[in-house]
Amino acid sequence: MNEMSNNSASSSNLLLAQKAVKQLRLEASVRRIKVSQAAADLKTFCLQNAHKDPLLVGVPSSDNPFRPPKSCALF
């Protein structure tokens, strides 16, 4: 019985090690760029899309689903 649990533990350890190696190979194959280049690309993207950013230009009242409801009075 003890030998069987050792085999199970060994199989489990082997599977974990294989999974870790697979993940490390995947991460090693990712194309990398310098942080300075990534920052420059991000800045360019933000500047090009600033006119569409609702945090910068606001949301038109007619398009805002969170606008306060209009009050209605019946006479």
Side-chain angles (χ1 to χ4, degrees):
M1 183 102 168
N2 192 9
E3 185 179 319
M4 189 172 212
S5 67
N6 281 345
N7 283 343
S8 178
S10 293
S11 293
S12 178
N13 287 340
L14 179 61
L15 289 173
L16 286 173
Q18 287 172 335
K19 188 175 180 181
V21 167
K22 183 179 180 181
Q23 181 64 32
L24 289 170
R25 284 186 177 146
L26 176 73
E27 291 176 17
S29 69
V30 171
R31 185 179 74 88
R32 303 192 186 276
I33 61 173
K34 292 183 177 183
V35 172
S36 57
Q37 182 61 50
D41 292 348
L42 182 58
K43 180 180 176 184
T44 300
F45 175 84
C46 290
L47 291 173
Q48 287 174 347
N49 292 286
H51 67 280
K52 295 187 275 185
D53 189 334
L55 295 175
L56 298 175
V57 297
V59 177
S61 177
S62 60
D63 294 341
N64 186 354
F66 302 106
R67 70 180 176 271
K70 295 179 181 176
S71 60
C72 180
L74 297 175
F75 295 97

